[in-house]
């Protein structure tokens, strides 16, 4: 690949180089000979002219998967992939009011509209190779929420948390973790409040939730490290923090699988 993160795992199989954590929730970046066709479990993956591509393993991904490579000369190879199973933090919460559990119809309609916008932004395809960059944290600080965790409200499982939360004061600056194009910039979504999505290319995107201020608009090109927003406590939250999410199209992945550990970053600051 063009860039490799030294602290992340790297595998070289015959015909393909894979970079990332081979576990549930991980984003994997890869390199093959240009012109090679790639399939994950028989689903075609778009490969750029340099032979670079990305794919992910969902929160509850099957632990055995297959990468198929069809080389320019027509030779086909199957590469078995072993995925590590993860244990997620589950919290029981009782005594939650029905109003909180189920918002009123007006709020539900608004939330459904928001969800449609987010889904469309994450589904878009752009031919940018920014996804292959060495990603950086959009801000540093105490991690207050982790990917995959889930609350069970009054005995009913809630939607798992699909991001990593970094606690910070309202107004703390957020920067772009990699180059990209702003595919969504909305200041007041029902659940996520100020919401921004950066398209890094080939299905990979970053989402920032609960922002208090958004510096950039949809369609604007941003560079890694550029200031794009400020931390807030907007939407349905109990305090200020940044909720950073990584997607491969609609697949919700763990941002910590593509950056060095927060502890190592803070130690080196």
């Amino acid at each position: 690949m063009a860039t490799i993160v030294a602290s992340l795992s790297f595998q070289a199989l015959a015909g393909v180089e894979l970079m990332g954590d081979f576990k549930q929730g991980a984003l994997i970046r890869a390199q093959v000979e240009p012109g090679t066709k790639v399939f994950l479990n028989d689903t075609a993956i778009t490969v750029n002219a340099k032979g670079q591509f990305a794919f992910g393993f969902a929160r509850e991904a099957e632990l055995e998967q297959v990468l198929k490579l069809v080389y320019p000369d027509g030779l086909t190879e199957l590469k078995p992939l072993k995925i590590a199973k993860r244990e997620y933090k589950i919290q029981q919460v009782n005594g939650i009011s029905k109003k909180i559990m189920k918002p009123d119809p007006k709020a539900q309609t608004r939330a459904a509209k928001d969800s449609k916008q987010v889904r469309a932004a994450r589904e878009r395809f752009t031919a940018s190779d920014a996804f292959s960059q060495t990603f950086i944290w959009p801000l540093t600080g105490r991690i207050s929420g982790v990917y995959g965790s889930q609350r069970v409200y009054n005995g009913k499982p809630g939607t798992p948390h699909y991001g990593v939360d970094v606690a910070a004061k309202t107004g703390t600056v957020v920067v772009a973790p990699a180059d990209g194009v702003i595919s969504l910039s909305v200041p007041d979504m029902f659940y996520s409040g100020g919401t921004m999505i950066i398209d890094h290319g080939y299905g990979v995107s970053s989402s920032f939730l609960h922002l208090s201020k958004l510096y950039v608009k949809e369609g604007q090109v941003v560079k890694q490290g550029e200031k794009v927003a400020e931390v807030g406590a907007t939407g349905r939250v109990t305090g200020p923090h940044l909720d950073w999410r990584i997607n491969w199209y609609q697949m919700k992945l763990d941002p910590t699988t593509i950056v060095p550990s927060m502890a190592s970053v803070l130690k080196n600051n």
Side-chain angles (χ1 to χ4, degrees), residues 208-244:
F208 299 146
L209 282 56
H210 312 304
L211 302 169
S212 61
K213 184 178 292 186
L214 294 77
Y215 297 164
V216 290
K217 297 180 180 180
E218 187 173 331
Q220 188 170 335
V221 175
V222 295
K223 292 294 183 180
Q224 184 179 69
E226 183 177 340
K227 297 176 181 179
V228 295
E230 294 179 7
V231 170
T234 56
R236 304 260 287 199
V237 294
T238 57
H241 69 279
L242 174 69
D243 183 342
W244 176 31

Side-chain angles (χ1 to χ4, degrees), residues 44 98 163 178-179 224 227 249:
K98 291 183 178 180
D179 297 352
Q224 184 179 69
K227 297 176 181 179
Y249 296 108

Side-chain angles (χ1 to χ4, degrees), residues 3-10 19 29 133-135 258-260:
T3 52
I4 297 295
V5 181
S7 61
L8 298 180
S9 59
F10 174 69
M19 192 266 284
R29 275 84 61 79
Q133 286 183 308
T134 300
F135 277 56
I258 60 169
V259 287

Side-chain angles (χ1 to χ4, degrees), residues 11 22-23 57 62-65 79-84:
Q11 293 190 27
F22 280 72
K23 62 183 181 182
F57 303 127
E62 295 292 330
L63 303 184
E64 294 187 0
Q65 303 197 32
K79 308 289 186 181
L81 303 177
K82 299 284 187 179
I83 313 304

